[in-house]
């Protein structure tokens, strides 16, 4: 028997306010046509004043718990991937823990920017395989609208707010790729690329949270190359090929990156979950949001083999192969 970390529930939450591309035309030298053609984004959600990452994350967690038929008391640990925490400390994870009414177990944040959910899932899997937890809530939640420079047209039109969550539970498998659950993970970072995507503030530098800065074209180049590489690594570890994948669930930053990566892997776009048009780039929330929406659309079904892949600031990148 082999222990597997299986997704037993998924949920998401989006702020009510939807902002169409056209809204930016009034304040910046940009156009709906440019944003759509360069990024695939048509609209995004922005959090209301006072609507924090922990509030969005709590609602996504409640939806995932309901989907799994579990209550907060059943959970041993909470891992929250976020780059936009409510406060410098305590962690957003402990705030969500309190909101859920959970007084046992442990909760902590993971910071790997847009790769955050992939990092959190891989680390939650390791905790389950090590026997340190049997049921874990893994949450990605972001309010990137708080770190936008609204005068920088090259970044502020690309990001959005939202949250997604999964319940991960230990179950016994047979040790083959037919098992449900996480089958392989692959994580990377290379801090030499810090200047490509970062926030120009922080606690021990400016004392302010700062604004997002990105060399988009360079990040784009790294993205296609590194996403295809990490996907190849996880699949090779399992002796599988891209033809075995039912659905790619990519980080939703740019439709052109998603398309180019799928093409490099020889996977048709019909097998890719796409939400970037409706959410923009929600950083660590984008993959769990896409999982939840993919399931609701009927595009992700029990037994499907999924490839999750992401790249973000750091640079950080990685992938997870799991059977739903
Ligand atoms: O989530 C973490 C990972 N992040 C990403 O994966 C993002 C990766 N990068 C991208 O998605 C793309 O590089 C962008 C969408 C950011 C930009 O697309 P691009 O095709 O790489 O455009 P570009 O940066 O090469 O800019 C092309 C032109 C520039 O004008 P010039 O220099 O050619 O005259 C920009 O100034 O488009 C201009 N531009 C805009 N024009 C209208 C930049 N932003 C805008 C805008 N509206 N909002």
């Amino acid at each position: 028997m082999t222990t597997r970390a299986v997704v037993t529930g998924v949920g998401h939450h989006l702020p009510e306010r939807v902002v169409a591309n056209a809204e930016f035309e009034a304040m910046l030298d940009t156009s709906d046509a440019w944003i759509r053609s360069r990024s695939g984004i048509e609209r995004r959600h922005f959090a209301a004043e006072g609507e924090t990452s922990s509030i969005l994350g709590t609602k996504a967690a409640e939806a995932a718990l309901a989907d799994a038929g579990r209550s907060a008391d059943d959970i041993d640990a909470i891992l929250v991937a976020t780059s936009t925490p409510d406060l410098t400390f305590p962690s957003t994870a402990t705030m969500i823990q309190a909101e859920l009414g959970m007084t046992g177990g442990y909760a902590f944040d993971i910071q790997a920017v847009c790769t955050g959910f992939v990092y959190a899932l891989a680390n939650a899997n390791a905790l389950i395989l090590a026997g340190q937890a049997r049921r874990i809530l893994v949450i990605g939640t972001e309010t990137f609208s708080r770190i936008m420079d609204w005068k920088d047209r090259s970044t502020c039109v690309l990001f959005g707010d939202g949250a997604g969550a999964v319940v991960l539970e230990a179950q016994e498998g047979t040790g083959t790729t037919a098992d449900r659950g996480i089958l392989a993970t692959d994580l990377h970072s290379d801090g030499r690329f810090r200047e490509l995507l970062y926030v120009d503030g922080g606690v021990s530098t400016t004392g302010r949270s700062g604004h997002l800065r990105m060399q988009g074209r360079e990040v784009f180049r790294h993205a296609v190359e590194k996403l295809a590489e990490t996907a190849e690594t996880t699949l090779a570890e399992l002796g599988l090929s891209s033809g075995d994948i039912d659905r790619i669930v990519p980080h939703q930053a740019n439709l052109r990156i998603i398309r180019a990566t799928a093409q490099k892997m020889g996977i048709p776009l019909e097998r890719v979950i796409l939400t970037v048009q409706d959410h923009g780039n929600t950083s660590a929330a984008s993959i769990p949001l896409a999982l939840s929406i993919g399931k609701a659309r009927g595009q992700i079904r029990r037994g499907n083999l999924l490839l999750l892949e992401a790249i973000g600031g750091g640079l950080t990148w990685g992938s997870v192969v799991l059977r739903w």
Side-chain angles (χ1 to χ4, degrees), residues 109-120:
D109 288 358
I110 285 189
Q111 161 54 299
V113 203
C114 298
T115 321
F117 188 77
V118 166
Y119 267 57

Side-chain angles (χ1 to χ4, degrees), residues 163-185:
V166 299
V167 176
L168 211 54
E169 301 198 27
Q171 289 184 7
E172 291 310 315
T174 60
T176 71
T177 57
D179 288 344
R180 292 186 69 212
I182 294 177
L183 302 174
T185 64

Side-chain angles (χ1 to χ4, degrees), residues 244-308:
D244 297 310
I245 296 292
D246 293 306
R247 298 282 175 202
I248 304 184
V249 189
H251 169 47
Q252 310 279 323
N254 186 315
L255 180 59
R256 288 158 55 220
I257 294 176
I258 294 171
R259 201 185 278 137
T261 309
Q263 201 170 11
K264 217 168 177 193
M265 294 176 64
I267 294 185
L269 205 58
E270 299 81 68
R271 281 201 266 146
V272 182
I273 304 294
L274 292 176
T275 57
V276 67
Q277 67 281 3
D278 296 324
H279 304 160
N281 183 345
T282 57
S283 191
S286 92
I287 288 180
L289 264 165
L291 285 172
S292 182
I293 282 164
K295 186 193 169 201
R297 284 182 191 152
Q299 292 176 309
I300 296 176
R301 300 205 175 112
R302 192 184 167 101
N304 281 169
L305 192 67
L306 309 184
L307 169 75
L308 282 44

Side-chain angles (χ1 to χ4, degrees), residues 99-315:
E99 282 302 311
L100 292 174
M102 181 181 150
T103 52
Y106 55 96
F108 61 96
D109 288 358
I110 285 189
Q111 161 54 299
V113 203
C114 298
T115 321
F117 188 77
V118 166
Y119 267 57
L121 210 52
N123 279 281
N125 179 53
L127 289 173
I128 285 176
L129 299 193
Q132 294 197 12
R134 289 194 62 79
R135 295 194 195 108
I136 303 182
L137 253 174
V138 186
I139 303 166
T141 185
E142 302 281 16
T143 45
F144 260 52
S145 62
R146 309 276 200 257
I147 52 167
M148 290 298 109
D149 174 351
W150 299 109
K151 291 193 181 79
D152 179 6
R153 67 176 183 169
S154 72
T155 54
C156 75
V157 301
L158 302 174
F159 292 87
D161 301 336
V166 299
V167 176
L168 211 54
E169 301 198 27
Q171 289 184 7
E172 291 310 315
T174 60
T176 71
T177 57
D179 288 344
R180 292 186 69 212
I182 294 177
L183 302 174
T185 64
D186 181 52
L187 301 181
H188 298 272
S189 66
D190 189 338
R192 288 175 304 168
F193 297 118
R194 182 178 74 183
E195 299 298 321
L196 300 187
L197 178 51
Y198 68 103
V199 169
D200 64 2
V203 181
S204 74
T205 50
T206 61
R208 281 191 281 272
S209 51
H211 294 120
L212 182 143
R213 305 291 171 207
M214 178 166 74
Q215 294 177 36
R217 211 175 306 179
E218 273 302 293
V219 176
F220 193 113
R221 197 177 58 74
H222 281 284
V224 178
E225 179 193 299
K226 291 183 164 52
L227 290 173
E229 253 173 42
T230 180
E232 218 169 273
T233 304
T234 39
L235 288 173
E237 189 187 317
L238 297 168
L240 297 174
S241 72
S242 54
D244 297 310
I245 296 292
D246 293 306
R247 298 282 175 202
I248 304 184
V249 189
H251 169 47
Q252 310 279 323
N254 186 315
L255 180 59
R256 288 158 55 220
I257 294 176
I258 294 171
R259 201 185 278 137
T261 309
Q263 201 170 11
K264 217 168 177 193
M265 294 176 64
I267 294 185
L269 205 58
E270 299 81 68
R271 281 201 266 146
V272 182
I273 304 294
L274 292 176
T275 57
V276 67
Q277 67 281 3
D278 296 324
H279 304 160
N281 183 345
T282 57
S283 191
S286 92
I287 288 180
L289 264 165
L291 285 172
S292 182
I293 282 164
K295 186 193 169 201
R297 284 182 191 152
Q299 292 176 309
I300 296 176
R301 300 205 175 112
R302 192 184 167 101
N304 281 169
L305 192 67
L306 309 184
L307 169 75
L308 282 44
E309 45 159 44
I311 183 161
L315 292 177

